[in-house]
Amino acid sequence: MITMKFGGTSVGDLQRLQDVASIVQSYVPERPVVVASAMSGVTNLLLETATHALHRDAEAVKKNIESLKEKHLNVANTLLKDAARHRELINNQTTLIEELANLYRGVSLLKELSSRSLDAIASYGEILSCLQLAALLKDYNVPVEFVDARTLIRTDHHFGEASVDFDVTNRNIQTLLLPKVEQGIVPVITGFIATTDDCITTTLGRSGSDYTGSIVGAALDADEIWIWTDVDGVMTADPRYVNGAKVLPEISYREAAEMSYFGAKVIHPKTMMPAIEKNIPIRIKNTFNPSYAGTLISKKSGSSGSVVKNITSIDHLSIVSIEGNGMMGVPGVSARIFSSLARVGVNVMMISQASSEHNVCFVVPQKDCERALAELRKEFDIDLARKMIDDITVEDQVSIVAIVGEGMKGTRGIAGKTFTAVANADVNLVAIAQGSSELNISFVVKQAEVRKAVQAIHDVFHLN
Ligand code: ADP
Ligand code: ASP
Ligand code: MG
């Protein structure tokens, strides 16, 4: 049994949808279980339209709903051959889009847009997409059944990026989905979406369909979990930004998790977790080039010849520094910093503290920085007034660069080589961190200089 997740680009246009249908058809003997995303661009469109609704920009809302409708109905009208099936799909999609328009109306009337509403709105992308993929697969004589993941995947109420309750979810998948697969049915499951125990729609975070793929694959004890996308596999760097990036044939779960956490968009960081528990290999494959083996992600790190496997970067970050002589040797300062951030739900991406303890700095998403800063000033107001802490400062528009590879552990000179390359590229280092796992070295540079830094490191380790 193979779980196959198809990303937005794989179901994003007429040609790709036909390719996906052929791929699934050819794997029917292997009992595929299909998970799919919204058509590419649709989730962004849905969320952007919600903002227009909030601002009561009725024209923009109307225009976007029209374009959403056209995009989906065009697939039905062009690709579906069976008349009854065509009619049924058009009816279903039209009803869904009317429902969605009502949600937008609600947002406009109430002038309120919560993360709970955003999840409800975003869920339409996957539902519309999977309904049409299921209909198309029926035209290809694949014995499919559309499955709304909300009947299977149970989460908490953390809207926008909910946490999965694996006890309930695994039980649901085993009792509701497995019997279908055993009967020879090919389920087409909506990625990304889930529900709480009181049936409120949640999402698993942006790009969360990858995670759905591995949740389902692990619960079914699949032989492999395949993530179909628009590149040949996990590459040494983001191919959009780095010249000479090449495909890695094999990487370990830990390397994949580390890379994706530090910005390799090709796979969602949580995807590895369910697979690790059951030791199920994940394969990244290209819908545009299906015969290519892709990248195998498993326990083994593989031998690519280089200890550094991959260079990633994340933009739109801020670095916050807290400085003061009064911090030296005082226990609990770090605890207070990170508790404050946790209270306002801000995720810390990197931490660095020199051994003098005179300065602690950490990196947060720029969009959360103001919230973080307000809470920190509240927490440390007495310390600031007494000059125990001199100041809390922020630099916006910075990026984290991370170099990842299991072989870095115990290999000398990696950091030296990295930072020399960065210096030779005339890029200034703002802060540095290395986890004691030695699986990754990360550092902060100005966002304007990040491409230069990434390319320089990619070149110096001969990853091309
Ligand atoms: P999907 O719609 O299939 O989920 P995504 O756009 O989420 O696809 O992810 C695939 C994209 O990730 C690729 O097109 C590529 O530009 C980008 N990417 C970033 N870093 C890497 C990397 N290290 N290896 C491969 N692709 C990467
Ligand atoms: N459609 C969702 C998103 O754009 C989930 C996914 O594509 O994986 O984030
Ligand atoms: Mg993706």
Side-chain angles (χ1 to χ4, degrees):
M1 187 198 303
I2 302 176
T3 303
M4 296 189 173
K5 176 264 173 176
F6 293 93
T9 41
S10 300
V11 294
D13 68 36
L14 300 173
Q15 182 56 52
R16 290 284 80 78
L17 274 162
Q18 287 172 295
D19 293 346
V20 168
S22 305
I23 291 170
V24 175
Q25 189 186 39
S26 68
Y27 281 102
V28 168
E30 262 98 344
R31 295 195 298 159
V33 173
V34 175
V35 173
S37 297
M39 295 176 83
S40 65
V42 164
T43 308
N44 285 345
L45 184 75
L46 290 169
L47 298 176
E48 180 197 301
T49 311
T51 309
H52 291 315
L54 180 68
H55 298 134
R56 297 192 169 168
D57 185 347
E59 267 311 300
V61 173
K62 189 163 164 242
K63 188 172 136 262
N64 286 2
I65 291 177
E66 278 310 313
S67 107
L68 189 76
K69 196 165 177 178
E70 196 187 302
K71 199 174 171 90
H72 288 90
L73 298 193
N74 180 34
V75 173
N77 292 336
T78 319
L79 295 184
L80 287 195
K81 298 194 186 70
D82 182 278
R85 196 170 299 137
H86 171 249
R87 211 174 318 116
E88 190 190 347
L89 179 63
I90 297 268
N91 282 342
N92 284 339
Q93 294 196 318
T94 310
T95 308
L96 285 164
I97 291 169
E98 275 162 17
E99 258 175 52
L100 179 66
N102 277 333
L103 291 185
Y104 288 135
R105 222 162 282 137
V107 170
S108 286
L109 288 172
L110 294 168
K111 272 200 154 199
E112 184 188 63
L113 181 59
S114 61
S115 45
R116 171 172 161 168
S117 309
L118 282 170
D119 276 357
I121 288 167
S123 71
Y124 283 78
E126 268 65 17
I127 299 171
L128 288 166
S129 164
C130 289
L131 276 175
Q132 80 189 10
L133 178 60
L136 179 65
L137 284 166
K138 274 188 200 152
D139 261 11
Y140 277 67
N141 292 320
V142 178
V144 292
E145 192 177 310
F146 166 80
V147 176
D148 187 329
R150 291 175 298 184
T151 59
L152 304 172
I153 301 181
R154 176 69 54 80
T155 67
D156 65 5
H157 287 73
H158 192 106
F159 298 103
E161 187 162 358
S163 296
V164 175
D165 177 339
F166 278 95
D167 287 340
V168 179
T169 302
N170 289 343
R171 200 176 335 120
N172 285 345
I173 293 173
Q174 280 146 16
T175 55
L176 303 171
L177 193 67
L178 187 58
K180 291 186 207 249
V181 181
E182 283 170 343
Q183 282 165 40
I185 292 170
V186 176
V188 177
I189 309 164
T190 53
F192 182 50
I193 65 175
T195 60
T196 60
D197 53 4
D198 49 350
C199 300
I200 300 169
T201 300
T202 53
T203 62
L204 305 180
R206 293 306 306 270
S207 300
S209 297
D210 297 334
Y211 189 30
T212 308
S214 78
I215 293 169
V216 171
L220 291 174
D221 259 319
D223 297 300
E224 292 201 1
I225 296 162
W226 290 6
I227 310 282
W228 290 89
T229 183
D230 62 347
V231 284
D232 274 337
V234 178
M235 304 176 81
T236 49
D238 189 334
R240 286 170 300 183
Y241 303 128
V242 174
N243 292 323
K246 73 164 210 283
V247 178
L248 293 160
E250 248 184 286
I251 55 173
S252 69
Y253 291 125
R254 293 180 61 196
E255 287 170 333
E258 205 83 8
M259 291 171 190
S260 54
Y261 179 75
F262 284 104
K265 194 191 166 216
V266 64
I267 188 163
H268 187 279
K270 287 185 186 163
T271 312
M272 271 54 72
M273 277 174 358
I276 289 173
E277 263 186 39
K278 294 273 181 86
N279 197 16
I280 302 174
I282 301 173
R283 203 179 272 282
I284 311 293
K285 287 188 59 87
N286 190 352
T287 324
F288 297 68
N289 185 15
S291 60
Y292 190 79
T295 299
L296 183 68
I297 306 175
S298 69
K299 263 194 196 154
K300 282 199 318 202
S301 162
S303 50
S304 75
S306 173
V307 290
V308 173
K309 286 279 183 67
N310 170 283
I311 318 211
T312 57
S313 59
I314 320 180
D315 295 341
H316 309 298
L317 304 175
S318 300
I319 183 161
V320 182
S321 305
I322 303 189
E323 284 190 23
N325 289 320
M327 287 165 64
M328 263 188 271
V330 180
V333 173
S334 299
R336 285 170 65 201
I337 295 175
F338 299 114
S339 307
S340 307
L341 297 175
R343 267 200 304 279
V344 286
V346 173
N347 183 29
V348 180
M349 326 245 350
M350 188 183 125
I351 304 166
S352 169
Q353 179 184 17
S355 58
S356 75
E357 299 181 43
H358 180 79
N359 168 307
V360 177
C361 64
F362 54 87
V363 180
V364 296
Q366 191 168 321
K367 66 174 175 35
D368 300 333
C369 190
E370 216 173 301
R371 205 161 82 241
L373 208 57
E375 191 66 17
L376 286 168
R377 290 202 187 283
K378 216 160 55 187
E379 171 70 35
F380 288 103
D381 63 344
I382 296 175
D383 311 71
L384 281 161
R386 291 186 185 153
K387 299 279 179 220
M388 304 284 279
I389 288 180
D390 295 336
D391 206 359
I392 305 178
T393 55
V394 176
E395 183 174 348
D396 285 334
Q397 297 292 338
V398 297
S399 303
I400 292 181
V401 178
I403 68 171
V404 175
E406 295 235 40
M408 281 160 56
K409 192 174 176 68
T411 308
R412 260 172 265 170
I414 304 288
K417 204 164 161 181
T418 304
F419 298 133
T420 307
V422 174
N424 288 343
D426 209 13
V427 175
N428 182 41
L429 287 171
V430 180
I432 301 173
Q434 178 185 5
S436 58
S437 71
E438 295 184 47
L439 187 64
N440 118 28
I441 297 174
S442 28
F443 57 91
V444 177
V445 297
K446 283 192 183 351
Q447 189 172 308
E449 298 183 326
V450 67
R451 305 275 164 263
K452 243 180 0 182
V454 171
Q455 186 73 56
I457 302 167
H458 198 266
D459 292 344
V460 85
F461 286 104
H462 303 294
L463 295 182
N464 49 347

